[in-house]
Amino acid sequence: MEFVPTKLPDVVLIKPKVFEDPRGFFMETYRTDRFTAGGITQNFVQENHSRSQKGVLRGLHYQIRNTQGKLVRTIAGEIFDVAVDIRRSSPTFGQWVGITLSAENRFQLWVPEGFAHGFYVMSEFAEVVYKVTDYYAPEWERSILWNDPKIGIDWHLNGDTAPVLSQKDINGMPLADAEIFE
């Protein structure tokens, strides 16, 4: 596995070694010793799987308590995956990074605690699987407005069509008004 820092040093792109032959492929998606050597030492306690249609945007989500680091990968389709640093004391506070994750490139993205996370589905549908470092706690879940101009995320939207959003994401808070980390 190759662990590649992004422009936000705590967010890491993971490129697995893929073994392919006429039968198909094999790859390790997680191995404690390699992740530890790559600087990711957190334990994962839950794994989630979602399926979304083209044009769906999920995010920007985080938990203010029971904070979750997320190890994200796409097993079908293609997404534009985004992490935003929402740690007020961080030198990269308010900055974002986006990476295309797909079933074809098999990349994973490590989004640590203290970051908001979201993704936009670029293919006809996408299935996303992600491990998290703490349990889902809906009472602590928060959402930052996906199109907050102060963050300025380029979501790589398909044409002029508005993304499909949940009510929670429509009601997301601007970063300036959101409950965030110190």
Side-chain angles (χ1 to χ4, degrees), residues 52-68:
S52 304
Q53 300 304 312
K54 184 175 188 171
V56 167
L57 192 151
R58 295 181 184 264
L60 297 160
H61 302 153
Y62 62 101
Q63 289 184 181
I64 196 66
R65 294 194 188 158
N66 297 81
T67 57
Q68 294 179 315

Side-chain angles (χ1 to χ4, degrees), residues 54-179:
K54 184 175 188 171
V56 167
L57 192 151
R58 295 181 184 264
L60 297 160
H61 302 153
Y62 62 101
Q63 289 184 181
I64 196 66
R65 294 194 188 158
N66 297 81
T67 57
Q68 294 179 315
K70 297 177 180 178
L71 179 61
V72 184
R73 68 188 178 108
T74 302
I75 61 170
E78 180 177 71
I79 65 170
F80 186 67
D81 203 47
V82 172
V84 179
D85 188 345
I86 58 170
R87 303 167 299 172
R88 194 181 314 276
S89 61
S90 170
T92 57
F93 172 71
Q95 295 179 33
W96 65 275
V97 63
I99 304 284
T100 299
L101 303 180
S102 70
E104 286 186 23
N105 70 24
R106 300 184 183 108
F107 295 165
Q108 297 182 85
L109 191 65
W110 165 243
V111 180
E113 297 88 346
F115 286 74
H117 172 256
F119 64 86
Y120 176 71
V121 179
M122 299 167 69
S123 53
E124 289 306 310
F125 71 91
E127 292 193 31
V128 177
V129 174
Y130 55 102
K131 294 175 178 11
V132 294
T133 59
D134 206 344
Y135 300 106
Y136 176 63
E139 68 274 20
W140 301 116
E141 185 176 38
R142 303 292 186 265
S143 184
I144 291 176
L145 192 60
W146 69 275
N147 61 351
D148 183 339
K150 297 238 186 229
I151 300 172
I153 298 169
D154 174 4
W155 284 100
H156 300 268
L157 300 178
N158 293 322
D160 294 329
T161 306
V164 179
L165 303 165
S166 70
Q167 194 59 50
K168 171 178 67 176
D169 295 336
I170 291 170
N171 295 332
M173 300 289 293
L175 180 59
D177 300 331
E179 185 178 9

